[in-house]
Structures are given as C-alpha cells and as structure tokens.
Amino acid sequence: MDVSLAEARTLLARARRQVERREPPSNADVEKRTASAEAFTFGGWAEAEFKHKADPKSGAERLTDSTLAMRRSVYDRAIAGELSKLKLGEVTPQRFKRLCDEVKEKRGPAVAVHVREVVLLVFRHAQGNGLDVSNPAESIRTRTIATFEPRERAVSPSEVRAVLTALDHVAAAATLRSAVKFVLLTGVRKSEFIDATWKEIDFAAARWTIPAERMKAGKPHVVPTRHSNGARHGRAHAPTAVYRPCPLRR
C-alpha cells in the first residue's frame, strides 16, 4: 500500500483523536496505519524495489527471474533480520558496514557484496521516488568488502572430451545427460537453457538466439548450433551445439 507523508500524518491525527475519545480504532484504520508505517521502513522500500524489478512495465530495469530470486534470497537471509524494520534514515553507513562485515564473516565475501548491491538499489529506488535520503551503500566501496580475481578460467578441449566421455557412463536419464552436454558445449546458464523455446531456434541459420529479457546482461545472445539428425527428420530433439571451448559461467 502506497501512502503519502500527508496521508500518514492524517491517519496519525485521526488515531490520536480516537484515543482521546477512547474510541477503539477500526480494523481498517489499524491496517492503514500498519501499512503506512511499513511504507517508510527499509523493508517496505525493499518490497517496492522487488515489485518494480519484476514488473514487465519496468522495461530495461526489469530483472530476470533467476536474478530477482537471488536478490530476494540475499535479502531474506542476510538483510531483513537487521534492517527491515528500520527507517531509511536509521540505516547509517556505520551500521551498514557492520552488517557487511558480519555477513562476510558468517556467509562469505560474495554474499556480503550482494548485500551491498541490494541495499544500494533499494535506496536508489526510494530516491527515485522522491525520498530525500542519503544512500549508505555509496559510502562503502565494494573493494572494502571483498576483492575478486577476474574469471579467466576456460575449459580446455581435453577437459571437455573427458567430461563428455564420462557422461556416457553415468547412471542417469538420457535426457539429463544430453542437457549437461548441451550446457557444457554452449556455456549458457542453466536458466537460459531450461527456459528456452523452439521459436528461439533458427534451424536455417543454425543458431539459437536468447532474447535480451532472459539474459543477465540484458542483451540478446546468439549461440551457434548445427542440426541434429533427429531435428532434420522432424523429431523433437534439441539442436546440438557446435563444439567450442568456452569460459566457465556460474
């Protein structure tokens, strides 16, 4: 529920009059006051940010389901317990830095960096909606929480060959083995693969185009493919990717 500051003040004044008259507040009034209070807490703004990033009308700001689920998980596990009931002005840089340090110690540096990103975006959402408040996450650089080496690891041809050979001897369904081979050869993320549709496959051009709305970077991604024998004969088999070593993507 969105409540303006003026509306919140009106509700407060009405509640005070009811108390003075010893009138019990109605359930509707209680719900409105609760919603009004939550609307100005970090938790309220976090929910508004998640809702905005899930809305198809948000355009380029909309997040993929997997990214949104990851951020929601980080919020629920590492942030909500400490910040959800605080007013935005109460989330100071010092308090936030302590939270990041605690998360880093308990859950690891990667989660702590995600915590910073979620808090940063929640405050930016509030600022974008006209709230005059400083963003504590902007005072804390990512490198003060953790530093990471660039991902330069690539799967070598011999490693790919070893995995493909081993898969033929794994006690698993043939469809599962095929899925693992496909992900290995294309380097796509799991969600990009399992959410694929046939309309994304161009058999004539031998390519699979993942649309921007399903890509983490927000840009279309083209995966070269070749026809499988089954696809050529009209059977419902997924296209097999052209082999090429690719960087590991998590």
Side-chain angles (χ1 to χ4, degrees), residues 83-230:
L83 304 184
S84 64
K85 296 182 180 180
L86 298 179
K87 305 296 184 183
L88 292 189
E90 295 175 328
V91 185
T92 62
Q94 294 79 10
R95 184 195 292 265
F96 179 53
K97 184 59 168 61
R98 286 197 300 271
L99 173 61
C100 289
D101 291 340
E102 291 173 1
V103 171
K104 180 179 179 180
E105 181 179 354
K106 295 178 181 179
R107 303 179 183 273
V111 178
V113 170
H114 285 308
V115 165
R116 177 190 179 276
E117 182 180 17
V118 171
V119 172
L120 177 74
L121 295 175
V122 169
F123 270 85
R124 285 182 177 175
H125 181 72
Q127 291 170 335
N129 281 273
L131 196 66
D132 184 14
V133 62
S134 60
N135 192 332
E138 292 180 346
S139 303
I140 302 172
R141 301 295 182 186
T142 301
R143 63 176 177 269
T144 66
I145 301 174
T147 56
F148 301 94
E149 295 294 330
R151 292 181 178 177
E152 298 178 347
R153 175 74 167 90
V155 180
S156 69
S158 61
E159 290 173 320
V160 173
R161 188 179 304 109
V163 174
L164 293 178
T165 300
L167 280 173
D168 290 333
H169 303 283
V170 173
T175 51
L176 179 58
R177 292 198 300 268
S178 295
V180 173
K181 290 178 181 179
F182 190 89
V183 171
L184 177 64
L185 294 173
T186 59
V188 297
R189 294 178 176 85
K190 180 180 69 173
S191 62
E192 295 163 358
F193 171 54
I194 64 178
D195 292 335
T197 61
W198 283 112
K199 67 180 181 180
E200 296 174 0
I201 310 296
D202 185 340
F203 289 100
R207 65 188 180 191
W208 167 32
T209 303
I210 307 175
E213 58 268 23
R214 294 209 302 108
M215 291 297 299
K216 184 176 182 180
K219 298 179 181 179
H221 179 60
V222 178
V223 180
T225 66
R226 64 174 174 81
H227 294 283
S228 67
N229 292 331

Side-chain angles (χ1 to χ4, degrees), residues 50-63:
F50 292 138
K51 182 178 180 180
H52 172 70
K53 291 300 175 63
D55 189 350
K57 297 180 181 178
S58 297
E61 293 187 1
R62 185 188 181 190
L63 297 176

Side-chain angles (χ1 to χ4, degrees), residues 15-25:
R16 284 174 174 170
R17 288 196 298 271
Q18 289 177 331
V19 171
E20 291 173 356
R21 299 171 185 170
R22 296 184 178 180
E23 297 177 2

